[in-house]
Amino acid sequence: MSDYETVHTITDWYDGARAGIADLDGKPHYYENHWSESESDWSDIYFLKPLDAETFALAMEDREIRLRWEEAFKTGKTTGNTHPALPEERQRHEELIRILAERLVIIPETGIRAEAEFIYGQPTKVKWRIVID
């Protein structure tokens, strides 16, 4: 398992992780899987973008907001109507979403290209294989 790295977040899921934040060489990167129009399916290629410390911290703050909501939901302290943030954290969550939407953008032509092997669980791990054209 030493080749596997930490998956910090999965922010998009469809039959597997499609976007989120994971380490590459021990450093946080935003990853995104793209739909292949030619194959009418998800590509095997993920694009990765290194994250600066501030962006990573903001993403982790939003992750913590979601985790607090999940805990409250599981224990019956909130309902599904409040998903994905508790009412007292809704404004901050929406602010973080706006900030991150501007920062977590990958331009495929400049992104790091890699194939991924995810191991889902607690914690989720990933092994990247860089693809060079």
Side-chain angles (χ1 to χ4, degrees), residues 18 24 27 36 42 47 49 67 79 84 87-88 97 110 115 117 133:
R18 299 296 166 207
L24 171 65
K27 296 177 182 144
S36 170
W42 292 101
F47 296 93
K49 173 185 176 177
L67 290 175
T79 66
E88 62 271 20
I97 291 299
T110 61
E115 292 178 340
E117 179 184 326
D133 292 330

PDB file of all heavy atoms in Angstrom, residues 18 24 27 36 42 47 49 67 79 84 87-88 97 110 115 117 133:
ATOM      1  N   ARG A  18     -15.020  10.925  -9.415  1.00  0.00           N
ATOM      2  CA  ARG A  18     -14.865  11.696 -10.663  1.00  0.00           C
ATOM      3  C   ARG A  18     -14.150  13.022 -10.418  1.00  0.00           C
ATOM      4  O   ARG A  18     -13.585  13.592 -11.339  1.00  0.00           O
ATOM      5  CB  ARG A  18     -16.216  11.943 -11.320  1.00  0.00           C
ATOM      6  CG  ARG A  18     -16.940  10.673 -11.698  1.00  0.00           C
ATOM      7  CD  ARG A  18     -16.201   9.878 -12.746  1.00  0.00           C
ATOM      8  NE  ARG A  18     -16.734   8.526 -12.837  1.00  0.00           N
ATOM      9  CZ  ARG A  18     -16.031   7.485 -13.230  1.00  0.00           C
ATOM     10  NH1 ARG A  18     -14.771   7.619 -13.561  1.00  0.00           N
ATOM     11  NH2 ARG A  18     -16.577   6.303 -13.272  1.00  0.00           N
ATOM     12  N   LEU A  24      -0.722  13.668  -4.636  1.00  0.00           N
ATOM     13  CA  LEU A  24       0.157  13.136  -5.673  1.00  0.00           C
ATOM     14  C   LEU A  24       1.554  13.499  -5.206  1.00  0.00           C
ATOM     15  O   LEU A  24       1.830  14.681  -4.956  1.00  0.00           O
ATOM     16  CB  LEU A  24      -0.140  13.753  -7.047  1.00  0.00           C
ATOM     17  CG  LEU A  24       0.864  13.418  -8.152  1.00  0.00           C
ATOM     18  CD1 LEU A  24       0.863  11.930  -8.480  1.00  0.00           C
ATOM     19  CD2 LEU A  24       0.569  14.238  -9.408  1.00  0.00           C
ATOM     20  N   LYS A  27       1.573  15.630  -2.041  1.00  0.00           N
ATOM     21  CA  LYS A  27       1.079  17.017  -2.057  1.00  0.00           C
ATOM     22  C   LYS A  27      -0.344  17.045  -2.608  1.00  0.00           C
ATOM     23  O   LYS A  27      -0.653  16.334  -3.563  1.00  0.00           O
ATOM     24  CB  LYS A  27       1.992  17.886  -2.918  1.00  0.00           C
ATOM     25  CG  LYS A  27       3.390  17.974  -2.347  1.00  0.00           C
ATOM     26  CD  LYS A  27       4.288  18.781  -3.238  1.00  0.00           C
ATOM     27  CE  LYS A  27       5.678  18.764  -2.620  1.00  0.00           C
ATOM     28  NZ  LYS A  27       6.729  18.715  -3.586  1.00  0.00           N
ATOM     29  N   SER A  36     -15.564  10.964 -21.965  1.00  0.00           N
ATOM     30  CA  SER A  36     -15.033  10.801 -23.316  1.00  0.00           C
ATOM     31  C   SER A  36     -16.203  10.756 -24.294  1.00  0.00           C
ATOM     32  O   SER A  36     -16.982   9.794 -24.300  1.00  0.00           O
ATOM     33  CB  SER A  36     -14.214   9.510 -23.427  1.00  0.00           C
ATOM     34  OG  SER A  36     -13.898   9.249 -24.772  1.00  0.00           O
ATOM     35  N   TRP A  42     -16.834   7.369 -19.264  1.00  0.00           N
ATOM     36  CA  TRP A  42     -15.778   8.068 -18.543  1.00  0.00           C
ATOM     37  C   TRP A  42     -14.425   7.627 -19.082  1.00  0.00           C
ATOM     38  O   TRP A  42     -14.188   6.445 -19.321  1.00  0.00           O
ATOM     39  CB  TRP A  42     -15.872   7.785 -17.044  1.00  0.00           C
ATOM     40  CG  TRP A  42     -17.084   8.403 -16.439  1.00  0.00           C
ATOM     41  CD1 TRP A  42     -18.253   7.781 -16.123  1.00  0.00           C
ATOM     42  CD2 TRP A  42     -17.252   9.776 -16.123  1.00  0.00           C
ATOM     43  NE1 TRP A  42     -19.139   8.689 -15.617  1.00  0.00           N
ATOM     44  CE2 TRP A  42     -18.551   9.925 -15.597  1.00  0.00           C
ATOM     45  CE3 TRP A  42     -16.439  10.906 -16.222  1.00  0.00           C
ATOM     46  CZ2 TRP A  42     -19.059  11.146 -15.179  1.00  0.00           C
ATOM     47  CZ3 TRP A  42     -16.943  12.122 -15.787  1.00  0.00           C
ATOM     48  CH2 TRP A  42     -18.233  12.228 -15.277  1.00  0.00           C
ATOM     49  N   PHE A  47      -7.252  14.355 -14.814  1.00  0.00           N
ATOM     50  CA  PHE A  47      -6.393  15.530 -14.887  1.00  0.00           C
ATOM     51  C   PHE A  47      -6.196  16.033 -13.465  1.00  0.00           C
ATOM     52  O   PHE A  47      -7.153  16.091 -12.696  1.00  0.00           O
ATOM     53  CB  PHE A  47      -7.016  16.614 -15.763  1.00  0.00           C
ATOM     54  CG  PHE A  47      -7.157  16.194 -17.198  1.00  0.00           C
ATOM     55  CD1 PHE A  47      -8.316  15.613 -17.665  1.00  0.00           C
ATOM     56  CD2 PHE A  47      -6.095  16.359 -18.083  1.00  0.00           C
ATOM     57  CE1 PHE A  47      -8.443  15.207 -18.984  1.00  0.00           C
ATOM     58  CE2 PHE A  47      -6.207  15.964 -19.399  1.00  0.00           C
ATOM     59  CZ  PHE A  47      -7.385  15.380 -19.850  1.00  0.00           C
ATOM     60  N   LYS A  49      -4.291  18.983 -10.779  1.00  0.00           N
ATOM     61  CA  LYS A  49      -3.753  20.340 -10.646  1.00  0.00           C
ATOM     62  C   LYS A  49      -3.258  20.512  -9.215  1.00  0.00           C
ATOM     63  O   LYS A  49      -4.020  20.285  -8.269  1.00  0.00           O
ATOM     64  CB  LYS A  49      -4.853  21.358 -10.936  1.00  0.00           C
ATOM     65  CG  LYS A  49      -4.483  22.787 -10.678  1.00  0.00           C
ATOM     66  CD  LYS A  49      -5.687  23.700 -10.873  1.00  0.00           C
ATOM     67  CE  LYS A  49      -5.364  25.134 -10.522  1.00  0.00           C
ATOM     68  NZ  LYS A  49      -6.511  26.009 -10.771  1.00  0.00           N
ATOM     69  N   LEU A  67     -18.948  17.071   6.941  1.00  0.00           N
ATOM     70  CA  LEU A  67     -18.854  15.985   7.921  1.00  0.00           C
ATOM     71  C   LEU A  67     -19.699  16.270   9.154  1.00  0.00           C
ATOM     72  O   LEU A  67     -20.333  15.358   9.710  1.00  0.00           O
ATOM     73  CB  LEU A  67     -17.393  15.742   8.313  1.00  0.00           C
ATOM     74  CG  LEU A  67     -16.509  15.119   7.227  1.00  0.00           C
ATOM     75  CD1 LEU A  67     -15.062  15.056   7.704  1.00  0.00           C
ATOM     76  CD2 LEU A  67     -17.016  13.748   6.806  1.00  0.00           C
ATOM     77  N   THR A  79     -32.310  17.285   9.391  1.00  0.00           N
ATOM     78  CA  THR A  79     -33.005  16.511   8.355  1.00  0.00           C
ATOM     79  C   THR A  79     -32.275  16.647   7.023  1.00  0.00           C
ATOM     80  O   THR A  79     -31.392  17.498   6.869  1.00  0.00           O
ATOM     81  CB  THR A  79     -34.441  17.030   8.175  1.00  0.00           C
ATOM     82  OG1 THR A  79     -34.380  18.363   7.642  1.00  0.00           O
ATOM     83  CG2 THR A  79     -35.216  17.017   9.495  1.00  0.00           C
ATOM     84  N   PRO A  84     -26.174  20.317   2.231  1.00  0.00           N
ATOM     85  CA  PRO A  84     -25.084  19.587   2.884  1.00  0.00           C
ATOM     86  C   PRO A  84     -24.444  20.330   4.052  1.00  0.00           C
ATOM     87  O   PRO A  84     -23.319  20.014   4.440  1.00  0.00           O
ATOM     88  CB  PRO A  84     -24.080  19.449   1.749  1.00  0.00           C
ATOM     89  CG  PRO A  84     -24.189  20.764   1.036  1.00  0.00           C
ATOM     90  CD  PRO A  84     -25.654  21.134   1.134  1.00  0.00           C
ATOM     91  N   PRO A  87     -27.759  24.591   9.281  1.00  0.00           N
ATOM     92  CA  PRO A  87     -28.239  25.952   9.032  1.00  0.00           C
ATOM     93  C   PRO A  87     -27.260  27.048   9.475  1.00  0.00           C
ATOM     94  O   PRO A  87     -27.073  28.036   8.758  1.00  0.00           O
ATOM     95  CB  PRO A  87     -29.548  26.019   9.827  1.00  0.00           C
ATOM     96  CG  PRO A  87     -30.024  24.598   9.836  1.00  0.00           C
ATOM     97  CD  PRO A  87     -28.775  23.765   9.937  1.00  0.00           C
ATOM     98  N   GLU A  88     -26.599  26.864  10.613  1.00  0.00           N
ATOM     99  CA  GLU A  88     -25.678  27.883  11.106  1.00  0.00           C
ATOM    100  C   GLU A  88     -24.383  27.950  10.283  1.00  0.00           C
ATOM    101  O   GLU A  88     -23.615  28.910  10.411  1.00  0.00           O
ATOM    102  CB  GLU A  88     -25.360  27.663  12.586  1.00  0.00           C
ATOM    103  CG  GLU A  88     -24.682  26.350  12.907  1.00  0.00           C
ATOM    104  CD  GLU A  88     -25.637  25.192  13.203  1.00  0.00           C
ATOM    105  OE1 GLU A  88     -26.825  25.240  12.822  1.00  0.00           O
ATOM    106  OE2 GLU A  88     -25.159  24.227  13.821  1.00  0.00           O
ATOM    107  N   ILE A  97     -18.058  27.402  -1.500  1.00  0.00           N
ATOM    108  CA  ILE A  97     -18.375  26.828  -2.809  1.00  0.00           C
ATOM    109  C   ILE A  97     -18.067  27.830  -3.921  1.00  0.00           C
ATOM    110  O   ILE A  97     -17.493  27.470  -4.953  1.00  0.00           O
ATOM    111  CB  ILE A  97     -19.862  26.389  -2.861  1.00  0.00           C
ATOM    112  CG1 ILE A  97     -20.080  25.189  -1.950  1.00  0.00           C
ATOM    113  CG2 ILE A  97     -20.298  26.071  -4.284  1.00  0.00           C
ATOM    114  CD1 ILE A  97     -19.276  23.953  -2.317  1.00  0.00           C
ATOM    115  N   THR A 110      -3.125  21.739 -19.775  1.00  0.00           N
ATOM    116  CA  THR A 110      -2.024  22.030 -18.853  1.00  0.00           C
ATOM    117  C   THR A 110      -2.044  21.159 -17.603  1.00  0.00           C
ATOM    118  O   THR A 110      -1.121  21.219 -16.799  1.00  0.00           O
ATOM    119  CB  THR A 110      -2.051  23.519 -18.422  1.00  0.00           C
ATOM    120  OG1 THR A 110      -3.284  23.784 -17.752  1.00  0.00           O
ATOM    121  CG2 THR A 110      -1.889  24.437 -19.620  1.00  0.00           C
ATOM    122  N   GLU A 115      -3.624   7.982 -14.775  1.00  0.00           N
ATOM    123  CA  GLU A 115      -4.636   6.962 -14.536  1.00  0.00           C
ATOM    124  C   GLU A 115      -4.682   6.721 -13.033  1.00  0.00           C
ATOM    125  O   GLU A 115      -3.672   6.891 -12.347  1.00  0.00           O
ATOM    126  CB  GLU A 115      -4.278   5.672 -15.282  1.00  0.00           C
ATOM    127  CG  GLU A 115      -4.368   5.840 -16.785  1.00  0.00           C
ATOM    128  CD  GLU A 115      -3.977   4.579 -17.536  1.00  0.00           C
ATOM    129  OE1 GLU A 115      -3.285   3.705 -16.955  1.00  0.00           O
ATOM    130  OE2 GLU A 115      -4.365   4.470 -18.709  1.00  0.00           O
ATOM    131  N   GLU A 117      -6.049   4.299  -9.644  1.00  0.00           N
ATOM    132  CA  GLU A 117      -6.565   3.061  -9.061  1.00  0.00           C
ATOM    133  C   GLU A 117      -6.993   3.402  -7.639  1.00  0.00           C
ATOM    134  O   GLU A 117      -6.149   3.606  -6.761  1.00  0.00           O
ATOM    135  CB  GLU A 117      -5.480   1.991  -9.044  1.00  0.00           C
ATOM    136  CG  GLU A 117      -5.921   0.689  -8.425  1.00  0.00           C
ATOM    137  CD  GLU A 117      -4.790  -0.319  -8.342  1.00  0.00           C
ATOM    138  OE1 GLU A 117      -3.917  -0.349  -9.225  1.00  0.00           O
ATOM    139  OE2 GLU A 117      -4.780  -1.077  -7.345  1.00  0.00           O
ATOM    140  N   ASP A 133       2.167  11.809 -22.998  1.00  0.00           N
ATOM    141  CA  ASP A 133       1.785  11.677 -24.415  1.00  0.00           C
ATOM    142  C   ASP A 133       2.952  11.281 -25.276  1.00  0.00           C
ATOM    143  O   ASP A 133       4.051  11.629 -25.134  1.00  0.00           O
ATOM    144  CB  ASP A 133       1.208  13.003 -24.933  1.00  0.00           C
ATOM    145  CG  ASP A 133      -0.132  13.297 -24.272  1.00  0.00           C
ATOM    146  OD1 ASP A 133      -0.836  12.344 -23.929  1.00  0.00           O
ATOM    147  OD2 ASP A 133      -0.446  14.484 -24.104  1.00  0.00           O
TER     148      ASP A 133
END
